[in-house]
Amino acid sequence: MPSRQEVSYFGAGPAPLPTSVVEAGAKAFVNYNDSGLGLGEISHRSPTANKILADAKANLSTLLDIPDNYEILFMQGGGSGEFSAVVQNLVPVWIERRRRRAEAEILKANPGTEKDQLNELVYQRLQKEVDEELKLDYLITGSWSLKASQEAAKLVGSKYVNVALDARKANDGKFGKIPTEETWSLTPTKREGGKGSAFVYFCDNETVDGVEFQSFPKSLEAQGQDEEDERLVVADMSSNFISRKVDVSKYAVIFGGAQKNIGVTGITLAIVRKDLLPPHTATPPPTLLHRLNIGGLPGPVVLDYATIAKNNSLYNTLPIFNLWIAGQVMADLVSEFGAQKVSGQEAVANKKAQLIYGALDKYPAVYQVVPDKSIRSRMNICFRVSGGDDAKEKEFIAGAEKRLLQGLKGHRSVGGMRASNYNAVPLENVQKLVQYLEDFANGQ
């Protein structure tokens, strides 16, 4: 039976955790701070739970330099739940902005309009604008962004979903490249002669396909102060959260499941700009959303950002043990890197990724990295062995297992190999993998 220290795990998620956190978690699950209760048993509304929540928020804010005008939410449902949540929360923001504008313009043109008549005129205008102008922009660069776009189409209807980019069209029907931004078909903003979209979604790192955006897309940069000139950018960072420095101010929403870089399954993080929440932006009444007949709206309360924010992430029972694990991981990073914050972890992640890619690129006849070099993921390194030869790939996996290098098999939908280089994967484990890549390529 191998020890924890002997196993090198490269699974894509649930992913490895720092051993120190696992060991502390084992004690906390049985008897937290000598209270006689474990963290799986305490009330989520207790002072202890509230402190765990506050500490987790503080550490995430420190790591990412999250501005004060953002709300940090801890939710459930994973990244897939957030596919629905962003639609549920941001389409009503689009509607409310249009409702306010319509009401103001109608009253200006017809002062003294009675309330019932005004509401009817506003509704008629909104219905026309929804039918003709509502768009949700999706950049599809891999399996998860594809799923996100499909969920949006299921909720509100495919006619409202604008696939601004489908990377497969530039790569023989497969993911692995991101075409240049001038080829994207984003919904034009007011400044560009259009009306703008409700939001633009992209997956910052595609776990299955090994594709990662190397920087924030220039075409999504802020264009002005007018609401119709703004693109509300939503980023799914489930698999590269707290692995590199991020300018949070460029985003309307950042979300991700915890089970890659942050913790265990059961906690979802969402960072949401406060002006998209009440009281800054009111939530349209359910009766209006029903009348506008936009499928899937309003959605379930547990995915409602306004409700979760109002209740400090405690509207329903938050799994405090899972939250504590995530909080400990973040606290350890704050302690380890100090003033460097998440940039310290970014340097480590980059070094590990460079070692693995360096070994793969050294033997092009044996290993073929799947994604284009310009978009290679630092977190999920996808490659084939001998061009995808089934026997060779089975031999590679068998040899890796003998050395206790585990979790290297690619996602079932694409096959091949995948070495996930998450934060908790130690440098020494990466060095063991690199040595195996060398040895296998040289027939040892």
Side-chain angles (χ1 to χ4, degrees):
M1 183 75 72
S3 67
R4 181 178 178 85
Q5 287 71 30
E6 292 173 308
V7 172
S8 300
Y9 185 60
F10 298 93
L17 289 163
T19 296
S20 60
V21 172
V22 173
E23 291 173 343
K27 295 178 181 178
F29 194 72
V30 176
N31 188 353
Y32 180 66
N33 284 354
D34 295 323
S35 65
L37 289 174
L39 280 179
E41 300 167 303
I42 66 169
S43 168
H44 63 299
R45 302 193 188 281
S46 66
T48 299
N50 274 273
K51 185 177 187 308
I52 291 170
L53 178 60
D55 289 347
K57 283 186 176 183
N59 286 317
L60 183 59
S61 293
T62 297
L63 281 173
L64 294 183
D65 285 318
I66 298 176
D68 291 339
N69 63 322
Y70 282 78
E71 190 75 52
I72 298 172
L73 308 177
F74 291 98
M75 305 173 65
Q76 296 169 62
S80 297
E82 292 301 304
F83 295 164
S84 303
V86 294
V87 176
Q88 174 183 328
N89 288 279
L90 295 188
V91 170
V93 168
W94 184 92
I95 291 171
E96 177 59 20
R97 287 177 170 181
R98 297 298 185 101
R99 190 200 65 76
R100 286 199 317 250
R101 192 178 305 133
E103 187 175 272
E105 290 175 2
I106 291 169
L107 282 174
K108 184 177 180 180
N110 303 280
T113 303
E114 293 186 1
K115 185 177 180 180
D116 287 348
Q117 184 184 8
L118 175 63
N119 289 341
E120 184 61 27
L121 291 171
V122 167
Y123 159 72
Q124 291 174 8
R125 175 166 154 176
L126 276 177
Q127 187 66 75
K128 187 173 187 296
E129 290 181 353
V130 166
D131 290 341
E132 297 177 0
E133 299 172 12
L134 175 61
K135 291 296 178 186
L136 287 56
D137 287 353
Y138 280 81
L139 305 179
I140 299 177
T141 56
S143 300
W144 291 111
S145 47
L146 176 61
K147 289 177 184 291
S149 70
Q150 292 169 338
E151 181 70 4
K154 184 178 76 173
L155 288 174
V156 298
S158 58
K159 76 171 186 176
Y160 298 122
V161 175
N162 172 43
V163 177
L165 160 68
D166 186 339
R168 293 172 296 183
K169 294 180 179 179
N171 196 40
D172 298 324
K174 297 180 179 180
F175 294 117
K177 290 184 180 180
I178 299 180
T180 55
E181 293 186 36
E182 61 267 19
T183 67
W184 301 358
S185 56
L186 294 163
T187 301
T189 62
K190 181 180 179 181
R191 183 172 296 195
E192 296 166 338
K195 298 289 188 178
S197 60
F199 61 83
V200 183
Y201 163 95
F202 73 96
C203 183
D204 205 41
N205 183 79
E206 290 281 3
T207 320
V208 172
D209 305 282
V211 170
E212 185 174 23
F213 281 85
Q214 304 302 298
S215 59
F216 187 84
K218 291 182 179 179
S219 57
L220 304 185
E221 293 279 359
Q223 298 182 347
Q225 298 300 314
D226 192 297
E227 290 176 351
E228 291 180 271
D229 283 333
E230 179 186 35
R231 287 193 167 98
L232 295 179
V233 180
V234 175
D236 177 353
M237 295 189 181
S238 290
S239 51
N240 65 353
F241 234 131
I242 62 173
S243 72
R244 68 178 181 186
K245 187 172 177 58
V246 172
D247 185 351
V248 174
S249 68
K250 294 180 183 290
Y251 302 86
V253 178
I254 296 172
F255 71 79
Q259 68 274 12
K260 312 289 188 179
N261 265 335
I262 302 176
V264 294
T265 306
I267 287 286
T268 309
L269 290 77
I271 304 171
V272 182
R273 215 173 68 199
K274 288 181 180 178
D275 70 322
L276 303 174
L277 302 169
H280 308 280
T281 298
T283 301
T287 51
L288 176 58
L289 295 175
H290 290 151
R291 196 175 179 198
L292 290 170
N293 197 29
I294 305 173
L297 299 179
V301 68
V302 292
L303 296 180
D304 182 61
Y305 293 154
T307 299
I308 303 302
K310 182 180 178 181
N311 289 275
N312 190 31
S313 297
L314 298 172
Y315 175 78
N316 57 326
T317 306
L318 194 66
I320 298 302
F321 176 74
N322 306 48
L323 175 65
W324 182 86
I325 291 287
Q328 285 298 117
V329 169
M330 293 185 285
D332 285 358
L333 290 176
V334 170
S335 176
E336 180 177 358
F337 295 113
Q340 295 181 73
K341 301 178 182 178
V342 79
S343 295
Q345 180 60 50
E346 180 175 11
V348 175
N350 290 348
K351 179 179 180 179
K352 293 189 296 175
Q354 287 164 7
L355 285 172
I356 298 172
Y357 281 122
L360 295 171
D361 289 338
K362 186 177 177 180
Y363 301 98
V366 180
Y367 307 118
Q368 297 80 43
V369 178
V370 174
D372 187 77
K373 198 167 187 176
S374 64
I375 56 166
R376 287 178 175 179
S377 168
R378 301 162 306 121
M379 295 289 102
N380 307 103
I381 298 164
C382 297
F383 61 99
R384 304 306 299 251
V385 178
S386 299
D389 179 87
D390 186 57
K392 280 291 185 181
E393 293 198 328
K394 287 180 178 178
E395 180 186 344
F396 179 88
I397 288 292
E401 292 282 350
K402 287 180 180 178
R403 299 194 187 194
L404 299 180
L405 302 171
Q406 299 179 2
L408 289 169
K409 195 171 183 179
H411 191 273
R412 62 187 180 279
S413 65
V414 295
M417 307 296 140
R418 175 174 55 176
S420 292
N421 175 40
Y422 295 130
N423 288 354
V425 174
L427 175 60
E428 53 265 33
N429 288 8
V430 167
Q431 291 169 332
K432 290 177 184 178
L433 173 60
V434 168
Q435 185 62 57
Y436 176 61
L437 291 170
E438 291 269 359
D439 291 347
F440 185 86
N442 289 305
Q444 299 178 28

